[in-house]
Amino acid sequence: MPAYDDLMAFQRTTEALGQVAGRTGWDQETVMPRGSAPQRAEEMAALEEVLHARRTDPRLGDWLDEAHAPDAAGDANLRELRRSYHRNLKVPANLASELARVTSLAQGHWASARAAEDTAAFLPVLAEVVRLRREEGAALAVGTNMDAYDALMQDYEPGGNAADMATMFDAMRPRLLAIRERALAAEEAPTLSGHFPQANQMALSREIATAFGYDFTRGRLDLAVHPFSSGSGLDVRITTRVDEDDPFNCIYSAIHEVGHATYEQGVDATHLLTPIGRGVSMGVHESQSRSYENQMGRSEAYCGWLYGRMRDVFGDIGVGSERDFYRAVNAVGSGFIRTEADEVNYNLHIMLRFDLERSLILGEMEVGDLETAWNDRFLSDFGVAVDVPSNGFMQDVHWSVGLMGYFPTYSLGNLFAGCLMAAARRDIPDLDTDLARGDPSAATGWMRKNLQQFGALRPPREAIEHATGEALSAEPLLTYLEAKFGDLYP
Amino acid sequence: MPAYDDLMAFQRTTEALGQVAGRTGWDQETVMPRGSAPQRAEEMAALEEVLHARRTDPRLGDWLDEAHAPDAAGDANLRELRRSYHRNLKVPANLASELARVTSLAQGHWASARAAEDTAAFLPVLAEVVRLRREEGAALAVGTNMDAYDALMQDYEPGGNAADMATMFDAMRPRLLAIRERALAAEEAPTLSGHFPQANQMALSREIATAFGYDFTRGRLDLAVHPFSSGSGLDVRITTRVDEDDPFNCIYSAIHEVGHATYEQGVDATHLLTPIGRGVSMGVHESQSRSYENQMGRSEAYCGWLYGRMRDVFGDIGVGSERDFYRAVNAVGSGFIRTEADEVNYNLHIMLRFDLERSLILGEMEVGDLETAWNDRFLSDFGVAVDVPSNGFMQDVHWSVGLMGYFPTYSLGNLFAGCLMAAARRDIPDLDTDLARGDPSAATGWMRKNLQQFGALRPPREAIEHATGEALSAEPLLTYLEAKFGDLYP
């Protein structure tokens, strides 16, 4: 067999095992009995051992040297495999396994330290994670012109770099601050009230997920502590969570995860279990979840429909008009928690994390200085003093599991979503009429046709530019936010 | 490190991967979306490829040559590993992965063909499964004095063989027929009537499962088309099914699976993720499910308690006394379905399957002749003509997933259960007093102490003889059945 075919046959098994590992993670978060945890840790380690051995198998190097791709999809498969193979070769095996061991333990330490507001218990653990990730970043940077932070970022956003991020953030910051200033000076938005039974929230979330194009014959919706989407191809599962006093938590988490999941479900079937048979980057993934959740789900047109539907399901919900419901959905506040932030504040949270984690990885700051740096920056950016670490630097799991370089992809996703939805609205003039009927299918169909079906065929930025036919720019996102929140907070 | 320690470290990872494969099977039967089946087949094949490579890794041969066991558990681990290693070496890797792929798909074909009563759709699939299992049986028989059927049986019942089975069946058949003849000539047993809501059936099943010793912190109870128990060690899951007109289906399936699951949960924790850290054979496994379901769950004492509890839960259930309830639970009929058969007819169903599947594997019969052979035999053995394939040869999933050689272990399990419960009753004179209070814990504790805790420390027959202190015999089972049904049908 030609080297390319041997390579792809070998890789298909690896991809299938990767899907099993992902689903084992899904099981752990949704249905696993609590007493199974110690055995599950050994099962996950066993799967990781097998996957690591396959991803660094010396035959991959030979095949990659000799392989000739039969077509453009083949070129893209080789591009993805080369990047992953050379990446994994650069990280010494003992560093990789030390990272796996330390980060898996650190997550538990983070959870209990956060619950106890115990900074002192968390810092030594975080210092160890930072030390190992600095080392990994340095190893990955060898032979490139990247610094350690940019090298780490490649795992989440191939082609991304901190300089571009900083330029993007510099362009966004003053305009976001101007919107926020006006919003915080204005009358407070209305809030929902009432009781929202779990069964009704889940039934409504299923109805909405289906309308947004989620295919339940190849997926399922369950409850988990933290909402997530898991899997590629023919088995892509999502979770949400329920607060019986706040239905938005469940519904908007579901729409968000449907954005991720339909990206995976939308990839052309010919790419199943190949390296390009999945979303191309975290940023492009987030462009889908943000387009679905925010640009469509929180639009005035869709909120008009959702208001009526929620009154059908829940009765009186404490707000008296479509407009007030729309204002409630898009209330701009000044909370501590990133995951609860509105569209305006969200990117300001990310800028804070981006600057701090980059300083940590580049050795410009030590872990011991992190809490003070966070609190100073939060006061200066948000005008509020952090009260407890769980509202401050200990709020996210990300750093404890070593995900430095990941945060900026959330803002990149918002930026991509701005470009994509501007193009979708250009091509679908009646989109708001559809959304006002609760029907996002024209836009989700547009996403599938112009972006989702290609999986990782094109690198992230190219994928967005191919879909929109325009050069990448922060302008569509900012124009959208200024128009939307200028109307909401005139 | 000494060879034994190297071997056990390597094997621990294999055992952990085996647990993942088992749970992937659980997922497929309980929560997997329908449209995921084609990808799941590739995932199962990938796991099977990895497991097969590990189970035939040449290093195993070297370690097994050099290893010295530190204790009796170590001896047993080496015994199990040698059997599995030499078995797996005989099966070519491509045959193993082909079997995994084909049987995973065949299960879906079986389910839809059975639902549609579509023999023609099922036969080509079954023919492929039979072809592959014949090939596997032939490969396994090389270098032994076994035929292909006995060779396949070793996977389920090490040390078992068709000749012993035939002897056992010959001893049982006339005495079972005599019981049945008297029962069918007698007055018909009463039947339950009423509506039995799913939620109440599941709640009662959970209550009963807990009383029978099932640990929900290391397991869970879900719905599936075909009830089963899955997993070893710290994650052992069971399923049942619900018919809202017939609560016995759910409750007795649950008790049955609890028998299997408590065997796995009861193995001493020091054997976790080692070759002996699980039930030793399907026959011994079935001894537990049959002891729990039939010998305890359908005893007159336990039925007395269950009658009262069911009236608490469901109100009027259409029978007016403990004795009538006991008669309803143990009604001897002449139904088509093995899994619904009473204790007398059950073994006659197994005899039919044993003869037919042995003929299929030995090439004495082809798949195209199976339906006629089944129907002829059923008419002759049970006096009833099969009406539709789902009441005939398509009723069980077993053959579609290639489990030829498995059926006889069900009858062996009944025989083992007869021996075990005779010994348990000898050691616990007040057992019926406990059961009449709904408390089987003295007997389940006896099983844990005398059998379950040892896992696969001893070979099947030795394990039973060690637990009972008596030589293995069909006599306790037959004596028990004659006494019980002699009283029910005097």
Side-chain angles (χ1 to χ4, degrees):
Chain A
M1 268 211 302
Y4 180 81
D5 296 338
D6 282 336
L7 174 60
M8 293 302 286
F10 179 85
Q11 186 61 25
R12 197 168 183 91
T13 298
T14 309
E15 299 282 341
L17 294 168
Q19 291 300 311
V20 171
R23 200 166 313 101
T24 303
W26 172 87
D27 184 279
Q28 185 164 331
E29 299 302 315
T30 55
V31 295
M32 185 184 84
R34 63 190 157 81
S36 309
Q39 178 172 321
R40 180 58 57 90
E42 295 203 49
E43 293 170 8
M44 290 300 283
L47 279 168
E48 268 318 306
E49 182 184 323
V50 169
L51 283 167
H52 186 265
R54 295 185 70 89
R55 287 170 180 155
T56 54
D57 191 302
R59 288 173 294 174
L60 282 177
D62 299 336
W63 285 323
L64 284 169
D65 285 345
E66 294 163 29
H68 295 286
D71 53 19
D75 282 329
N77 279 323
L78 291 178
R79 180 199 76 219
E80 290 294 309
L81 281 172
R82 286 202 174 96
R83 187 165 54 78
S84 133
Y85 179 65
H86 293 123
R87 181 242 182 270
N88 289 327
L89 274 194
K90 283 182 173 179
V91 181
N94 58 349
L95 176 57
S97 69
E98 185 69 355
L99 260 165
R101 194 185 63 77
V102 168
T103 54
S104 85
L105 290 173
Q107 182 164 5
H109 290 303
W110 165 77
S112 49
R114 186 180 70 147
E117 305 290 0
D118 188 349
T119 300
F122 181 51
L123 288 183
V125 178
L126 182 60
E128 187 64 4
V129 173
V130 168
R131 183 183 70 74
L132 291 166
R133 285 288 276 168
R134 283 175 180 169
E135 209 177 305
E136 188 179 33
L140 291 171
V142 169
T144 74
N145 53 10
M146 292 186 275
D147 65 23
Y149 185 77
D150 284 357
L152 292 177
M153 203 195 291
Q154 303 311 304
D155 282 351
Y156 315 115
E157 198 64 27
N161 63 75
D164 285 354
M165 290 292 159
T167 304
M168 173 183 87
F169 287 138
D170 287 346
M172 293 167 79
R173 175 185 285 271
R175 293 168 71 176
L176 295 176
L177 289 176
I179 302 173
R180 191 178 67 182
E181 198 174 337
R182 207 161 55 179
L184 292 181
E187 193 194 343
E188 244 181 67
T191 53
L192 265 58
S193 59
H195 179 71
F196 305 90
Q198 172 166 321
N200 298 9
Q201 290 195 41
M202 289 301 279
L204 181 56
S205 294
R206 288 198 165 84
E207 173 190 334
I208 290 172
T210 302
F212 271 93
Y214 184 64
D215 180 356
F216 277 95
T217 70
R218 297 180 290 145
R220 46 183 295 130
L221 172 64
D222 295 276
L223 289 170
V225 175
H226 301 288
F228 63 90
S229 168
S230 161
S232 298
L234 303 183
D235 194 342
V236 185
R237 304 181 183 186
I238 57 176
T239 66
T240 187
R241 58 183 159 196
V242 168
D243 175 344
E244 293 202 328
D245 297 323
D246 170 16
F248 291 151
N249 211 319
C250 176
I251 292 168
Y252 282 104
S253 292
I255 302 177
H256 182 97
E257 301 308 334
V258 163
H260 287 298
T262 55
Y263 187 12
E264 296 293 337
Q265 290 187 329
V267 176
D268 192 285
T270 58
H271 304 321
L272 184 73
L273 297 177
T274 70
I276 64 169
R278 68 172 71 92
V280 66
S281 74
M282 296 302 132
V284 179
H285 242 294
E286 201 69 14
S287 80
Q288 299 304 285
S289 55
R290 297 292 164 165
S291 292
Y292 286 46
E293 177 191 356
N294 291 338
Q295 298 245 4
M296 289 189 268
R298 296 187 203 272
S299 67
E300 184 157 20
Y302 191 76
C303 283
W305 174 83
L306 185 58
Y307 173 67
R309 192 74 194 92
M310 284 184 65
R311 283 161 56 102
D312 292 345
V313 172
F314 300 108
D316 180 16
I317 59 175
V319 294
S321 71
E322 293 185 2
R323 179 72 184 179
D324 274 357
F325 182 82
Y326 175 52
R327 290 173 63 211
V329 166
N330 289 285
V332 173
S334 50
F336 293 116
I337 303 299
R338 172 185 60 85
T339 57
E340 296 166 7
D342 54 82
E343 288 179 79
V344 181
N345 279 297
Y346 191 91
N347 295 300
L348 296 166
H349 283 271
I350 297 300
M351 292 176 203
L352 180 158
R353 283 156 177 70
F354 167 67
D355 287 335
L356 295 182
E357 70 177 16
R358 187 160 180 268
S359 295
L360 278 176
I361 291 298
L362 297 183
E364 298 165 359
M365 182 171 64
E366 295 306 321
V367 160
D369 300 320
L370 177 60
E371 184 170 18
T372 304
W374 177 294
N375 291 353
D376 290 351
R377 171 74 179 263
F378 198 87
L379 185 61
S380 134
D381 277 12
F382 294 85
V384 188
V386 172
D387 51 357
V388 286
S390 68
N391 278 333
F393 85 107
M394 271 165 59
Q395 70 179 258
D396 289 315
V397 69
H398 297 55
W399 288 341
S400 74
V401 294
L403 284 179
M404 293 83 172
Y406 188 117
F407 275 121
T409 69
Y410 289 126
S411 282
L412 207 53
N414 287 328
L415 185 150
F416 292 161
C419 298
L420 290 166
M421 286 303 298
R425 288 186 172 276
R426 176 196 68 202
D427 294 348
I428 313 163
D430 294 335
L431 180 56
D432 278 334
T433 315
D434 292 347
L435 292 175
R437 289 194 308 263
D439 177 12
S441 64
T444 58
W446 188 96
M447 290 292 181
R448 180 164 298 206
K449 172 168 171 278
N450 292 291
L451 181 82
Q452 293 174 351
Q453 65 161 313
F454 302 116
L457 182 67
R458 299 180 182 88
R461 186 177 177 139
E462 269 184 51
I464 301 296
E465 293 184 341
H466 178 270
T468 63
E470 312 262 1
L472 194 68
S473 159
E475 198 52 42
L477 174 67
L478 293 166
T479 305
Y480 152 79
L481 290 173
E482 283 164 348
K484 175 173 181 173
F485 289 93
D487 167 60
L488 279 162
Y489 296 98
Chain B
M1 267 209 303
Y4 180 82
D5 295 338
D6 282 336
L7 173 61
M8 292 302 285
F10 179 85
Q11 186 60 25
R12 196 167 183 92
T13 298
T14 309
E15 298 283 340
L17 293 169
Q19 290 301 309
V20 170
R23 199 166 313 101
T24 303
W26 171 87
D27 184 280
Q28 184 164 329
E29 297 306 307
T30 54
V31 295
M32 186 184 83
R34 276 182 67 87
S36 311
Q39 177 174 323
R40 180 58 57 91
E42 295 205 49
E43 293 170 8
M44 291 300 283
L47 278 167
E48 204 39 58
E49 182 184 324
V50 168
L51 283 166
H52 187 266
R54 295 185 69 90
R55 288 169 179 156
T56 55
D57 191 303
R59 287 173 294 175
L60 282 177
D62 298 337
W63 284 323
L64 285 169
D65 285 345
E66 295 163 26
H68 296 287
D71 52 21
D75 282 328
N77 279 323
L78 291 178
R79 180 200 76 220
E80 289 293 309
L81 280 171
R82 286 202 176 95
R83 187 167 52 80
S84 136
Y85 178 66
H86 293 122
R87 178 240 184 270
N88 289 321
L89 270 194
K90 289 180 172 179
V91 182
N94 58 349
L95 175 58
S97 74
E98 185 69 356
L99 262 164
R101 196 185 64 76
V102 167
T103 54
S104 160
L105 288 174
Q107 183 163 3
H109 291 302
W110 165 76
S112 48
R114 185 181 70 148
E117 304 290 0
D118 188 349
T119 299
F122 181 54
L123 287 183
V125 178
L126 181 60
E128 186 65 6
V129 173
V130 168
R131 183 183 69 76
L132 291 166
R133 286 288 275 167
R134 282 177 180 169
E135 210 177 302
E136 190 180 34
L140 290 171
V142 169
T144 74
N145 52 9
M146 292 185 274
D147 63 23
Y149 185 78
D150 282 358
L152 291 177
M153 203 196 290
Q154 303 312 303
D155 283 350
Y156 314 115
E157 199 62 29
N161 64 74
D164 284 355
M165 290 293 157
T167 305
M168 172 181 87
F169 288 138
D170 287 347
M172 292 167 81
R173 176 186 282 271
R175 291 168 71 175
L176 294 177
L177 288 176
I179 302 174
R180 191 178 67 178
E181 197 173 339
R182 204 161 55 180
L184 292 181
E187 190 193 347
E188 242 180 70
T191 53
L192 265 58
S193 59
H195 178 71
F196 305 89
Q198 172 165 321
N200 298 9
Q201 290 197 39
M202 290 301 280
L204 180 57
S205 294
R206 288 199 166 84
E207 173 190 333
I208 290 173
T210 302
F212 271 92
Y214 183 64
D215 178 358
F216 277 97
T217 70
R218 296 181 289 143
R220 45 182 296 132
L221 172 65
D222 295 276
L223 290 170
V225 174
H226 195 86
F228 63 91
S229 168
S230 161
S232 297
L234 303 183
D235 194 343
V236 186
R237 304 181 183 185
I238 57 176
T239 66
T240 187
R241 56 183 162 196
V242 169
D243 175 343
E244 293 203 327
D245 297 323
D246 171 15
F248 291 151
N249 210 318
C250 176
I251 292 167
Y252 282 103
S253 292
I255 301 177
H256 181 98
E257 301 309 333
V258 163
H260 287 298
T262 53
Y263 187 11
E264 295 294 338
Q265 290 187 330
V267 176
D268 192 285
T270 57
H271 302 321
L272 182 72
L273 296 177
T274 70
I276 64 169
R278 66 173 74 90
V280 67
S281 75
M282 296 302 130
V284 179
H285 243 294
E286 202 67 15
S287 79
Q288 298 305 284
S289 54
R290 297 293 162 168
S291 292
Y292 285 46
E293 176 192 356
N294 291 339
Q295 299 244 4
M296 289 188 268
R298 297 187 203 272
S299 67
E300 184 157 21
Y302 191 77
C303 284
W305 173 83
L306 184 58
Y307 173 66
R309 190 75 193 94
M310 284 184 64
R311 282 161 56 101
D312 293 345
V313 171
F314 300 109
D316 180 16
I317 58 174
V319 294
S321 71
E322 292 183 4
R323 178 71 184 181
D324 274 356
F325 183 82
Y326 175 54
R327 290 173 63 212
V329 165
N330 290 285
V332 173
S334 51
F336 294 116
I337 304 297
R338 171 186 60 87
T339 57
E340 296 166 7
D342 54 83
E343 290 178 78
V344 181
N345 279 298
Y346 191 90
N347 295 300
L348 297 167
H349 283 270
I350 296 301
M351 293 176 202
L352 180 158
R353 283 155 179 69
F354 168 67
D355 287 335
L356 294 182
E357 69 176 17
R358 189 159 179 269
S359 296
L360 277 176
I361 290 298
L362 296 183
E364 297 163 2
M365 180 171 64
E366 294 306 322
V367 160
D369 300 320
L370 177 60
E371 185 170 15
T372 304
W374 178 294
N375 292 352
D376 290 350
R377 170 75 180 263
F378 199 87
L379 185 61
S380 133
D381 277 13
F382 294 86
V384 188
V386 172
D387 51 357
V388 286
S390 68
N391 278 333
F393 85 107
M394 271 164 60
Q395 70 180 256
D396 288 316
V397 69
H398 297 58
W399 288 340
S400 75
V401 295
L403 285 179
M404 293 82 173
Y406 187 118
F407 276 120
T409 68
Y410 288 126
S411 283
L412 206 53
N414 286 329
L415 187 149
F416 291 161
C419 298
L420 288 166
M421 286 301 300
R425 287 185 173 277
R426 174 197 69 204
D427 294 348
I428 313 164
D430 295 335
L431 180 57
D432 278 333
T433 316
D434 292 346
L435 291 175
R437 287 194 311 263
D439 177 13
S441 63
T444 58
W446 188 95
M447 289 292 180
R448 181 164 298 206
K449 172 168 172 278
N450 292 292
L451 181 81
Q452 295 174 350
Q453 65 160 314
F454 302 116
L457 182 67
R458 300 182 182 85
R461 187 177 177 137
E462 269 184 49
I464 302 296
E465 294 184 341
H466 178 269
T468 62
E470 312 263 0
L472 195 67
S473 158
E475 200 50 42
L477 173 68
L478 292 165
T479 306
Y480 152 80
L481 290 173
E482 282 165 347
K484 175 173 181 173
F485 290 93
D487 167 59
L488 279 163
Y489 294 100

